[in-house]
């Protein structure tokens, strides 16, 4: 089931709260690309892109795109003061050395153990996995932003992923238009519910068991 612009921006705005001053952050395509738009101007964060950029800025205003500047997904970007360019080998070296503090990715499915499936639906054409496998395994923290259910209304948070995995037990936090879950070895912990949804709504739309935080917040 598709989401409206308001829901996408609300998810991105919530994800921006997970970023702190001085971090190196990689944003996946889709909703994650919106996260940069919700950081305070005074916050010093370096956004990394696999195509060889450290220091991407907010999305350019319509009509002000630079045809020579794009992220790994091919979407127009801006560069902040101090940003730098290099080749993809260096970009992937940064990832594989574990120098990315947070990666924020989209997902097709996430399991209750934090398994991530986000690169292919068998039988459908895809351009490739890109940097997701390295980012999911080597980033210090992995945050998933996605719709709570798929276009058919089926849960995307499951006991076990049915789609091919990008990486196992890698996801730390899941943010959807309905809820926010922490992921640990003990399983899923519901920490926030997005208005106007309720805990019961979240239970109905989730295909896995989860615990509920004693101070679960309605946001």
């Amino acid at each position: 089931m598709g989401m409206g612009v308001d829901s996408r921006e609300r998810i991105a705005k919530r994800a921006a709260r997970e970023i702190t001053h001085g971090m190196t952050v990689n944003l996946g395509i889709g909703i994650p690309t919106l996260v940069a738009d919700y950081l305070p101007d005074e916050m010093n964060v370096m956004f990394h892109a696999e195509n060889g950029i450290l220091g991407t800025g907010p999305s350019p205003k319509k009509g002000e795109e630079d045809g020579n500047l794009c992220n790994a997904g091919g979407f127009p970007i801006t560069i902040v003061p101090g940003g730098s360019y290099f080749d993809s080998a260096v970009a992937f070296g940064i990832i594989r050395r574990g120098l990315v503090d947070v990666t924020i990715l989209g997902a097709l499915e996430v399991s209750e153990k934090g398994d991530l499936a986000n690169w292919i639906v068998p039988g459908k054409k895809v351009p490739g996995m890109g940097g997701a496998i390295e980012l999911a395994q080597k980033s210090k923290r992995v945050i998933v932003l996605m719709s709570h259910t798929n276009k058919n209304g089926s849960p995307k948070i499951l006991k076990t992923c049915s789609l091919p995995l990008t990486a196992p037990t890698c996801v730390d936090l899941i943010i959807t238009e309905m809820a926010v879950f922490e992921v640990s070895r003990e399983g899923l912990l519901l920490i926030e519910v997005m208005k106007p949804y309720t805990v019961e709504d979240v239970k109905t739309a989730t295909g896995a068991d989860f615990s509920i935080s004693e101070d679960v917040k309605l946001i």
Side-chain angles (χ1 to χ4, degrees):
M1 185 178 295
M3 286 191 297
V5 173
D6 289 347
S7 293
R8 291 166 58 87
E9 292 184 346
R10 192 175 183 191
I11 291 172
K13 188 175 182 180
R14 171 60 185 84
R17 289 167 45 194
E18 300 296 319
I19 298 174
T20 58
H21 186 80
M23 280 185 165
T24 296
V25 180
N26 184 288
L27 301 178
I29 61 175
I31 301 173
T33 61
L34 303 174
V35 173
D37 296 340
Y38 291 97
L39 294 181
D41 292 338
E42 64 274 16
M43 184 180 287
N44 182 16
V45 173
M46 281 294 179
F47 287 102
H48 165 278
E50 301 98 289
N51 56 330
I53 303 172
L54 188 62
T56 68
S59 303
K61 295 179 181 177
K62 191 173 183 179
E64 297 182 7
E65 300 91 345
D66 183 334
N68 293 313
L69 289 178
C70 67
N71 61 21
F75 295 97
I77 58 170
T78 58
I79 295 292
V80 299
S84 57
Y85 305 93
F86 33 80
D87 61 24
S88 291
V90 173
F92 275 80
I94 290 172
I95 299 170
R96 292 167 182 167
R97 286 287 302 274
L99 300 178
V100 174
D101 294 300
V102 178
T103 186
I104 302 177
L105 302 170
L108 298 169
E109 293 177 347
V110 180
S111 81
E112 62 186 15
K113 297 179 181 177
D115 301 330
L116 171 65
N118 78 344
W119 74 283
I120 189 171
V121 175
K124 294 195 174 182
K125 186 177 180 180
V126 294
M129 186 176 284
I133 189 169
E134 281 91 350
L135 287 163
Q137 294 189 62
K138 296 297 185 179
S139 298
K140 296 173 184 172
R141 184 168 166 80
V142 177
I143 299 173
V144 163
L145 312 185
M146 65 178 187
S147 57
H148 208 94
T149 59
N150 63 25
K151 62 182 180 181
N152 299 317
S154 300
K156 294 172 67 174
I157 302 173
L158 303 164
K159 287 182 175 295
T160 304
C161 292
S162 64
L163 297 173
L165 293 186
T166 306
T169 60
C170 61
V171 177
D172 298 291
L173 191 73
I174 305 168
I175 303 174
T176 77
E177 79 280 18
M178 297 183 73
V180 181
F181 290 97
E182 289 181 348
V183 188
S184 71
R185 292 184 177 181
E186 287 71 41
L188 300 173
L189 178 65
L190 178 66
I191 60 172
E192 296 173 18
V193 177
M194 302 275 200
K195 295 178 182 177
Y197 299 104
T198 66
V199 172
E200 289 304 314
D201 293 330
V202 175
K203 286 182 178 177
T204 300
T206 303
D209 297 327
F210 59 84
S211 302
I212 302 172
S213 173
E214 292 181 356
D215 60 347
V216 62
K217 296 178 175 60
L218 183 63
I219 61 175

